[in-house]
Amino acid sequence: MNAVWLILFSVSIVFAICTGNLEAFTKSIFEGAKSAVEVSLFLLGIVSVWMGITRILEDSGLIYRIAHLFKPVISRLFRNIPGDHPSISAITLNVLANLFGLGNAATPLGIKAMQELDTLNEHKGEITFEMMIFIVLNTASIQLIPFSVIGILASYNAANPAGVVLPVLIATVISAVTALLILFGFRKVLK
């Protein structure tokens, strides 16, 4: 991948020199770097706030109440997980982070959920069906309110940054349901 970037960058420099746009090329590199840092810091703030909220939810015990609300859905999807197992809370936190479009904050929660799911695994080193369900659910990530996308659009002064909410919700629900149906379909075929 580094070779690809090096080739792209080298070809860009050659074309900038040949077309006499080296000054504009240099300016655009620094503007792009500045923009990347600003967006990264903005996203870091969103992720930090969400991680703080999840810590408060965990420490206050509220996550167990929220997990209780999600328990019928989570229990139906993850049939082989005991209802009081810590993986239910970890999965719930991950799903909540994804629901609010905070994929970056969902990553450490997803890792924790997989670690908790692995404690139920009788055959270490092999993926269980519950792990597969979680991976599919996490990857499809149904988003109710995509805060990260709205935040990025707002930072670029979009006319209607919240206009993406309904299309993102529809697309993520369709992708999640389709992915789960395919996974369960393959399970029946391969049994």
Side-chain angles (χ1 to χ4, degrees):
M1 192 56 152
N2 288 337
V4 171
W5 284 112
L6 181 63
I7 291 169
L8 285 172
F9 193 70
S10 301
V11 169
S12 299
I13 291 172
V14 169
F15 273 97
I17 292 170
C18 291
T19 59
N21 291 324
L22 190 58
E23 185 178 329
F25 175 75
T26 305
K27 184 178 177 184
S28 69
I29 287 174
F30 287 108
E31 286 176 0
K34 178 184 173 193
S35 178
V37 169
E38 288 172 352
V39 169
S40 296
L41 288 174
F42 181 77
L43 290 176
L44 178 66
I46 291 173
V47 170
S48 297
V49 167
W50 181 249
M51 293 304 290
I53 290 170
T54 58
R55 176 63 66 188
I56 291 168
L57 289 174
E58 283 181 308
D59 291 347
S60 69
L62 189 57
I63 188 58
Y64 299 108
R65 292 185 187 142
I66 294 172
H68 184 71
L69 293 173
F70 277 78
K71 191 174 180 178
V73 175
I74 299 292
S75 296
R76 191 166 174 90
L77 277 175
F78 299 91
R79 293 186 178 136
N80 294 329
I81 299 176
D84 59 344
H85 194 268
S87 63
I88 297 292
S89 296
I91 291 169
T92 302
L93 278 172
N94 178 270
V95 168
L96 287 173
N98 281 325
L99 273 174
F100 292 112
L102 303 168
N104 293 333
T107 301
L109 300 169
I111 292 169
K112 183 177 180 185
M114 285 299 280
Q115 290 170 338
E116 293 294 343
L117 286 170
D118 196 42
T119 62
L120 296 170
N121 191 354
E122 295 174 2
H123 306 286
K124 301 295 180 193
E126 292 181 18
I127 189 167
T128 65
F129 188 68
E130 284 70 29
M131 290 176 171
M132 288 182 208
I133 294 170
F134 177 70
I135 290 169
V136 166
L137 188 64
N138 182 47
T139 304
S141 93
I142 296 173
Q143 294 188 15
L144 183 63
I145 304 171
F147 281 125
S148 296
V149 174
I150 292 171
I152 291 170
L153 290 172
S155 72
Y156 284 107
N157 299 320
N160 184 14
V164 299
V165 171
L166 185 60
V168 167
L169 177 61
I170 292 169
T172 57
V173 167
I174 290 171
S175 69
V177 169
T178 303
L180 287 170
L181 288 174
I182 289 170
L183 179 64
F184 280 97
F186 271 115
R187 184 177 191 198
K188 285 188 180 198
V189 169
L190 297 176
K191 256 190 168 177

